[in-house]
Amino acid sequence: MRIGVLAGRAKIVTSGRAFDIADISGRRFGPEPMAVYEAWDDFVAWAATADITSAGPAEPFTIDKADAPVPAPRQIFGVGLNYRAHQLESGLPEPDVPLVFTKFPSSVTGPAGTIDLPGDQVDWEVELAVVIGRRAYEVPADQAWSHVAGLTAAQDLSARDVQMRPAGTPQFSLGKSFPGFTPLGPVLVTPDEWVDRDAVPLSCAINGEETQSSTSADLIFDVPSLIAYLSGILPLLPGDVILTGTPSGVGIGQNPPRFLTDGDEILTQVGDLTMRHRVAARR
Ligand code: ZN
């Protein structure tokens, strides 16, 4: 099943058509997207038996009109240096435990559109994003997937100058939380729909030139390990988002470093999900 959001309302998306969850469920679920995640187990049980495609009128689902499939998560976690080649390009030692930071929810945006550049050191990071469906607290890795609503595509845009300051005690959360710095989408795809949920291909291209290409099979800490680690510390709530880390090929790893400039196009690909953004210098 694929979940998308149009005009603030949660939709089931199938073959490019969007069915309004509140309408087809007789108002039992939605329309508010976060309310669907809050009732995830009941919603999935209902959807398994509902006759969705004959349930009512559908509208076209296009990425230009879509909001993030998770527009207002309560918590967003990011993981640093979680692909070995990216850890090597950063010049930092391999972590023994996940390196976790937060991204503030006001940074979430949809799968297409224009994102303002707050400076001249903004970098791209394609990532596989995990969305929690069932509250997870002290969940062991072998039970972690049952707490996942689905996976989606993400960018973890990063203003490297702000992220790395002050020297010696860098502030990742702020450097990665400018408005528009967490694009998600275009839809959430439930774990059963992936060819291999533990080996999802992901790539990023800037102005048509591929900069990153990998698979989530190369994660140092995989999805179950991240959920076990985080949920051992605090509860993960329905609709929470975990950005699992970025592979090598970010701009700051190039020699000389390369950053996004006015008019650049970012193409983000995770499995069969595509996001397309343009960046614009602040005027
Ligand atoms: Zn990242």
Side-chain angles (χ1 to χ4, degrees):
M1 182 167 51
R2 294 174 176 236
I3 305 295
V5 175
L6 294 175
R9 295 176 70 95
K11 310 282 180 177
I12 293 174
V13 180
T14 176
S15 306
R17 295 192 301 156
F19 294 86
D20 191 88
I21 290 172
D23 288 349
I24 60 176
S25 71
R27 311 251 146 211
R28 189 167 157 203
F29 303 103
E32 213 283 304
M34 301 313 295
V36 174
Y37 298 110
E38 198 60 54
W40 187 253
D41 284 342
D42 288 344
F43 169 71
V44 169
W46 166 81
T49 58
D51 184 6
I52 288 153
T53 51
S54 60
E59 57 194 306
F61 185 86
T62 60
I63 74 166
D64 295 325
K65 291 210 172 124
D67 301 327
V70 194
R74 283 172 284 192
Q75 310 187 96
I76 305 174
F77 303 89
V79 182
L81 307 184
N82 203 17
Y83 286 84
R84 210 165 309 276
H86 176 56
Q87 171 245 323
L88 292 172
E89 81 180 340
S90 75
L92 295 167
E94 182 176 327
D96 320 317
V97 293
L99 301 180
V100 179
F101 54 89
T102 55
K103 294 190 70 146
F104 294 102
S106 58
S107 66
V108 170
T109 194
T114 301
I115 297 166
D116 279 347
L117 295 175
D120 59 5
Q121 291 188 35
V122 177
D123 205 346
W124 55 86
E125 293 192 356
V126 61
E127 309 212 359
L128 174 69
V130 177
V131 180
I132 298 297
R134 185 189 304 161
R135 186 180 190 273
Y137 187 56
E138 297 182 342
V139 170
D142 64 1
Q143 291 168 32
W145 274 112
S146 68
H147 295 260
V148 174
L151 306 174
T152 192
Q155 276 282 341
D156 175 19
L157 295 174
S158 304
R160 300 298 187 197
D161 47 349
V162 177
Q163 178 190 344
M164 299 304 183
R165 77 190 185 203
T169 49
Q171 304 294 309
F172 279 35
S173 298
L174 291 178
K176 291 166 171 279
S177 288
F178 285 90
F181 269 29
T182 311
L184 298 172
V187 290
L188 170 141
V189 182
T190 51
D192 56 294
E193 273 209 24
W194 295 83
V195 178
D196 183 349
R197 66 189 186 185
D198 295 303
V200 175
L202 68 170
S203 64
C204 176
I206 306 299
N207 303 329
E209 177 196 337
E210 186 173 271
T211 52
Q212 297 182 277
S213 179
S214 189
T215 148
S216 66
D218 288 340
L219 285 169
I220 297 174
F221 299 100
D222 62 10
V223 170
S225 307
L226 292 173
I227 289 173
Y229 180 72
L230 291 169
S231 79
I233 295 171
L234 78 174
L236 302 177
L237 307 172
D240 280 1
V241 175
I242 304 169
L243 302 191
T244 55
T246 201
S248 62
V250 297
I252 200 172
Q254 300 188 14
N255 188 13
R258 175 182 166 194
F259 299 112
L260 293 167
T261 58
D262 189 39
D264 282 352
E265 187 195 58
I266 310 170
L267 185 69
T268 306
Q269 201 94 43
V270 173
D272 68 358
L273 305 180
T274 301
M275 302 196 295
R276 198 182 292 274
H277 297 90
R278 203 164 279 287
V279 296
R282 260 188 205 168
R283 297 174 210 286

